[in-house]
Amino acid sequence: MNNFLYGASVNGIQSFIFKSNKLRDIGGASELVEQLCTTLLNQVLEELGLYFEQDGKQQLIGKDKSVVGRVYQRAAGSVKCLFFNQEDCQAFALKFPLAVRNMATGVSVSQAVVKVAGEPVGEDFYQLEKGMHLDFAQKGTTFPEAWMGIRSSRETALPLLKEGKDEGTLQKQSAGKGRLNEKFFGKKDDRGKAISVLKNDKSWMAVIHADGNGLGQVIQTFNRELNKGPFGEVLGAFSRHLDIANENATRRAVDHLKLTDKDIVPIILGGDDLTLAMSTEHSLEFVKWYSRFFEEETKAEFKQIPCENPAVRKILDQGLTVCAGIAFIKKKYPMHYGLHLAEGLCKEAKKVAKSDAYINKDDLTALPPSCLMFHRVESSFVEDYKMIEELQLTSHVFDKNEPVVFKGGPYFLSKPEIVNPEDEQKRPQEFIIDDLLSAYHQIVYNKEIRAHLRTWVTEMFNSKAIADQHLNRMRSTKGREVASLGLFDHMDFPNPAEKTGVNNPRLQAQAQKVGQIIDILSLKAIGLEVEAMGKKSKSKTNQTVEVS
């Protein structure tokens, strides 16, 4: 008996969401994307005389009270399902892409079908992904450009319809915030009104992107161990429980910090991804608690996946870790630049977490430690984090030909285990998130020590000799405060006779400490609020700003 494995991937999601810089439009676009693989999928099935059914732990496609298919995945812009007959598969493949484009103008769908004998195995899913990539390469993402003589939107360049808005904007503003708000806050809100975001008086906000670690190892283990076994059932269960774990971790972090829809603008929550915009005051604490809960929830949820294969069982039982990037931007800063930077910071954190210092390359189940990086945008526009490193964090005070980068992160959820002793010498002071928050708490109200630190950091980009003089003056006049920070312990830069730059591990370790001080001063500038050492430090200038 031949079955038909169908796969669809929604393309152009980020471009669709961030076509506008208004939070209301971004929230509505996110809600539409959330509905594409859930509500819209159900509607298309119903129009074809089919229906979606949750039967225990299985997601089925029914017709006339009989099962005619099975759904493996329907989240994060991806659909994978199995049809038991060709007619149903063809009808769905014709109707679903058109329904997606009608619901969210500006996105497209890449799809593929693989004919399988009986139940699909790992190789079938590989061929399905290959087919979807080929379909995308042939079609790409298209947008309905305005013809000559037709007015187009100044923001989106799409044809204007009514109320001086293009079709995509009208769709976004009528979408409300129902499903995403329910995921984040446990309640629906379909008002579709302006979004209130709590900010400080300087109108800073945080754009956060988090991405799970270890997903690749899990899928590779499935391919290796279940290629001739129940690949589809395990993949479907894994996808569902990963969604549940991510949603639970997000909700727990929101509840723990007592946040509301006035603090957070949900953007994406699905699979192992989380993207949102929120007030700066609670941003670092939110990522810390989300990361901790993500690890706990993935362990708990994956234990419920039925699989007896020892290798698969081992990698599932350890759960997943997560890395995150936080871009602190002004409210008028283009949102898509903020997201691009947050993703770049997340990738940079992953790059360090996956290095030989923390990962045993011979252990296929080894997980990178959870960590985060952040940056406060101070220039007009930046393309990526590498540009920030070159323009804002690079100093030539040691050697004009061999610069050093004052990069403080990443900041780990807990003290990472060093698997390579040689690399431990290169990074002698890993900073965990709680250490960062504790150091920040100590200087948040000490205006004098902050002024000293800012002067010292400035001179570290201009003159090493003057910076050393200022550091010695700080130690003599503010010795106790400086010692309590712990950041200046063993602050011993190499002498000029030693190798500098990337060839000197000791210099790189000291440069990291300078970066950590820069990060702490940045947190003060954006008005971070934190619980630490039994006391609460809070910016005194918070106010609510209405953003339409």
Side-chain angles (χ1 to χ4, degrees):
M1 175 183 171
N2 290 324
N3 295 326
F4 299 87
L5 183 62
Y6 171 86
S9 177
V10 181
N11 309 311
I13 289 178
Q14 287 194 7
S15 177
F16 174 72
I17 292 177
F18 295 102
K19 199 74 173 177
S20 167
N21 199 46
K22 295 181 179 179
L23 291 178
R24 178 184 176 185
D25 294 348
I26 291 171
S30 303
E31 181 63 29
L32 286 176
V33 170
E34 175 67 24
Q35 295 174 7
L36 292 179
C37 298
T38 52
T39 305
L40 182 64
L41 176 66
N42 295 348
Q43 292 175 357
V44 172
L45 289 174
E46 290 176 2
E47 291 174 7
L48 296 174
L50 307 173
Y51 57 88
F52 173 81
E53 180 181 14
Q54 181 79 40
D55 182 15
K57 295 183 178 180
Q58 291 190 349
Q59 294 180 322
L60 306 175
I61 299 175
K63 183 178 184 180
D64 298 331
K65 298 184 179 180
S66 62
V67 177
V68 297
R70 187 178 297 114
V71 178
Y72 297 120
Q73 184 180 15
R74 56 171 205 153
S78 179
V79 173
K80 291 184 178 71
C81 52
L82 185 71
F83 289 94
F84 295 161
N85 65 76
Q86 186 174 356
E87 291 74 19
D88 290 337
C89 183
Q90 285 179 334
F92 185 83
L94 288 172
K95 195 170 188 63
F96 183 66
L98 182 60
V100 169
R101 293 183 65 121
N102 288 339
M103 185 177 188
T105 301
V107 301
S108 64
V109 174
S110 300
Q111 55 184 356
V113 177
V114 176
K115 188 177 181 179
V116 300
E119 292 295 325
V121 295
E123 178 62 23
D124 297 323
F125 283 91
Y126 171 76
Q127 293 298 329
L128 186 70
E129 291 287 347
K130 189 176 179 181
M132 287 190 289
H133 285 303
L134 180 61
D135 189 45
F136 173 74
Q138 292 174 342
K139 294 190 302 188
T141 303
T142 59
F143 297 95
E145 298 179 356
W147 293 356
M148 291 183 63
I150 296 179
R151 292 181 61 195
S152 59
S153 169
R154 294 183 179 180
E155 291 185 354
T156 65
L158 299 179
L160 292 178
L161 298 180
K162 58 182 180 179
E163 302 175 10
K165 300 174 183 176
D166 62 86
E167 185 177 14
T169 300
L170 292 171
Q171 292 169 337
K172 296 170 186 177
Q173 294 184 355
S174 63
K177 302 180 293 175
R179 177 60 183 141
L180 272 175
N181 258 34
E182 187 178 15
K183 278 187 171 184
F184 273 75
F185 311 111
K187 63 177 182 178
K188 290 188 176 181
D189 184 355
D190 295 314
R191 294 170 297 172
K193 298 180 180 178
I195 300 172
S196 274
V197 180
L198 184 67
K199 303 183 180 75
N200 59 26
D201 64 331
K202 296 181 181 179
S203 297
W204 288 97
M205 64 187 304
V207 180
I208 299 173
H209 177 72
D211 186 32
N213 301 319
L215 196 61
Q217 291 104 306
V218 173
I219 301 302
Q220 289 175 10
T221 303
F222 288 176
N223 284 327
R224 186 176 61 252
E225 300 292 333
L226 303 176
N227 190 34
K228 301 299 181 181
F231 186 96
E233 286 84 351
V234 176
L235 177 64
F238 175 78
S239 177
R240 292 193 299 274
H241 286 284
L242 178 58
D243 274 338
I244 295 171
N246 197 4
E247 185 176 332
N248 288 346
T250 304
R251 183 90 58 81
R252 288 178 64 186
V254 168
D255 292 343
H256 182 82
L257 296 173
K258 297 180 174 58
L259 304 179
T260 70
D261 58 354
K262 295 184 182 297
D263 301 302
I264 293 179
V265 180
I267 297 177
I268 295 174
L269 177 57
D272 65 338
D273 291 327
L274 170 67
T275 306
L276 58 91
M278 69 177 297
S279 57
T280 57
E281 289 84 359
H282 308 284
S283 53
L284 217 59
E285 289 275 12
F286 174 83
V287 174
K288 182 188 80 170
W289 286 108
Y290 166 77
S291 301
R292 183 169 298 168
F293 293 146
F294 184 85
E295 291 186 2
E296 295 175 1
E297 290 292 336
T298 51
K299 285 182 181 179
E301 288 295 327
F302 292 171
K303 288 183 183 297
Q304 302 178 40
I305 299 176
C307 184
E308 301 300 327
N309 183 286
V312 174
R313 189 73 268 159
K314 178 181 177 182
I315 199 167
L316 288 176
D317 288 346
Q318 68 180 1
L320 300 178
T321 57
V322 64
C323 286
I326 310 175
F328 295 115
I329 62 175
K330 287 293 186 71
K331 71 171 185 177
K332 294 185 180 298
Y333 192 82
M335 186 67 72
H336 64 278
Y337 281 114
L339 175 66
H340 186 69
L341 177 56
E343 290 178 336
L345 290 163
C346 181
K347 290 178 181 178
E348 189 70 20
K350 281 178 175 285
K351 179 181 175 182
V352 176
K354 292 180 179 180
S355 66
D356 292 340
Y358 309 112
I359 291 293
N360 182 356
K361 302 300 183 182
D362 296 328
D363 184 1
L364 298 179
T365 64
L367 284 175
S370 294
C371 59
L372 66 85
M373 288 192 68
F374 63 88
H375 181 77
R376 178 171 67 105
V377 176
E378 300 179 73
S379 57
S380 299
F381 297 103
V382 290
E383 290 295 329
D384 53 36
Y385 185 67
K386 286 299 179 185
M387 181 181 292
I388 291 174
E389 283 189 357
E390 294 174 4
L391 298 180
Q392 300 179 24
L393 301 178
T394 299
S395 174
H396 295 80
V397 296
F398 298 96
D399 188 331
K400 293 183 179 180
N401 299 319
E402 191 101 38
V404 295
V405 179
F406 295 144
K407 181 170 64 176
Y411 299 95
F412 294 88
L413 181 62
S414 57
K415 189 71 174 179
E417 179 182 357
I418 303 295
V419 299
N420 189 334
E422 294 181 2
D423 286 295
E424 184 175 11
Q425 300 303 317
K426 298 178 183 179
R427 297 180 62 82
Q429 184 178 336
E430 272 84 11
F431 229 43
I432 66 173
I433 300 174
D434 283 336
D435 289 340
L436 176 71
L437 295 175
S438 177
Y440 169 77
H441 182 273
Q442 294 180 57
I443 70 168
V444 66
Y445 284 131
N446 195 326
K447 186 176 181 180
E448 190 173 355
I449 193 67
R450 289 201 311 274
H452 280 296
L453 289 174
R454 279 194 293 268
T455 302
W456 177 75
V457 166
T458 300
E459 294 303 333
M460 286 301 295
F461 288 91
N462 300 323
S463 170
K464 175 66 167 55
I466 297 178
D468 287 343
Q469 292 177 5
H470 197 79
L471 177 59
N472 292 331
R473 190 179 307 117
M474 270 198 296
R475 283 172 168 163
S476 62
T477 60
K478 296 289 181 179
R480 187 174 64 179
E481 291 91 336
V482 170
S484 66
L485 290 176
L487 294 172
F488 294 95
D489 297 343
H490 312 295
M491 183 68 82
D492 181 21
F493 287 96
N495 60 57
E498 295 186 49
K499 293 180 180 180
T500 59
V502 296
N503 298 317
N504 191 315
R506 189 156 65 94
L507 177 57
Q508 294 301 313
Q510 305 307 318
Q512 184 189 6
K513 294 182 180 180
V514 179
Q516 290 163 355
I517 295 172
I518 293 174
D519 286 346
I520 291 173
L521 294 174
S522 294
L523 294 178
K524 170 57 183 173
I526 54 95
L528 186 76
E529 182 177 309
V530 59
E531 288 279 346
M533 302 173 63
K535 299 178 181 179
K536 188 173 185 179
S537 67
K538 182 177 181 180
S539 172
K540 297 181 179 180
T541 56
N542 291 344
Q543 64 179 4
T544 300
V545 180
E546 186 77 4
V547 182
S548 59

